[in-house]
Amino acid sequence: MIRLGLRAAAAAMMAVCALAPLTVVAQAWPTKPVKFISPFPPGGSVDPLARLVAAKLAETLGQQFIVENKTGASGAIGTAFVAKSPPDGYTYVFVFDTHAVNPSLIPDLPYDTLKDLAPVTLVGTAPMAIATNAPKPYQTFTDVINAAKVAPGTVSFGSVGNGSLGHLTMTLLQKSSGIKLGARAL
């Protein structure tokens, strides 16, 4: 009787498996336009990257991929829009380095970075570089550090704004080397 029960169960499983390809149909995606939110203004590094990806996906998948700029608060405004959007696979946000630090810098962030959003893919990375105008007297990084030590606050740096990777990197550099730099948002 046990043997018969196992045979019957095995036969039932095989029947289900045999029918599965006939009854399960993959849902097509996308069936309507997809929104890519660029939480930074046009002209920065995120917007053109979102537009390049959108164009290639539209060409490949035969559906519109629309880039919308919803800017402000170091990307938090556009990211909040996506966090509050229906989780239907039709709204995505292109985040930048500020996405990782916003929870520490914005106490009333209107979303939980870890709970309200899910990573999909890494689209690109970019190196950090320190450069200066050619006529400046600094030929090496050590020259920059020494000049900042001799005259604190007279050597300045530019970044895209407070909380950005460039700003935080230069803040860490100042702290670790004991120098004071002037800062300018670009």
Side-chain angles (χ1 to χ4, degrees):
M1 212 162 172
I2 293 174
R3 182 176 275 175
L4 185 60
L6 289 175
R7 282 187 189 160
M13 288 301 292
M14 289 192 318
V16 168
C17 290
L19 292 175
L22 301 175
T23 58
V24 177
V25 178
Q27 191 174 16
W29 181 90
T31 59
K32 63 181 184 178
V34 177
K35 280 188 199 175
F36 282 167
I37 302 302
S38 174
F40 300 98
S45 58
V46 174
D47 181 71
L49 187 59
R51 292 180 189 282
L52 285 170
V53 172
K56 188 63 177 173
L57 286 172
E59 176 187 317
T60 303
L61 298 174
Q63 186 57 259
Q64 283 187 302
F65 283 74
I66 301 162
V67 177
E68 290 184 20
N69 298 89
K70 294 189 181 292
T71 66
S74 295
I77 291 172
T79 304
F81 174 82
V82 173
K84 292 177 171 116
S85 295
D88 59 4
Y90 286 91
T91 308
Y92 297 85
V93 63
F94 274 69
V95 296
F96 191 55
D97 52 19
T98 55
H99 182 71
V101 296
N102 278 348
S104 298
L105 299 177
I106 303 173
D108 57 345
L109 201 60
Y111 57 89
D112 184 313
T113 303
L114 300 175
K115 292 179 182 172
D116 296 336
L117 300 158
V120 175
T121 190
L122 175 65
V123 174
T125 61
M128 301 244 350
I130 295 176
T132 188
N133 194 345
K136 291 285 186 187
Y138 321 122
Q139 297 301 309
T140 67
F141 185 66
T142 302
D143 291 345
V144 174
I145 300 297
N146 289 339
K149 285 182 177 179
V150 170
T154 60
V155 176
S156 61
F157 72 92
S159 75
V160 296
N162 290 343
S164 68
L165 188 57
H167 173 250
L168 294 174
T169 299
M170 297 308 284
T171 300
L172 182 60
L173 172 67
Q174 291 176 83
K175 188 173 187 169
S176 65
S177 63
I179 62 172
K180 176 155 178 44
L181 300 172
R184 295 183 186 151
L186 301 177

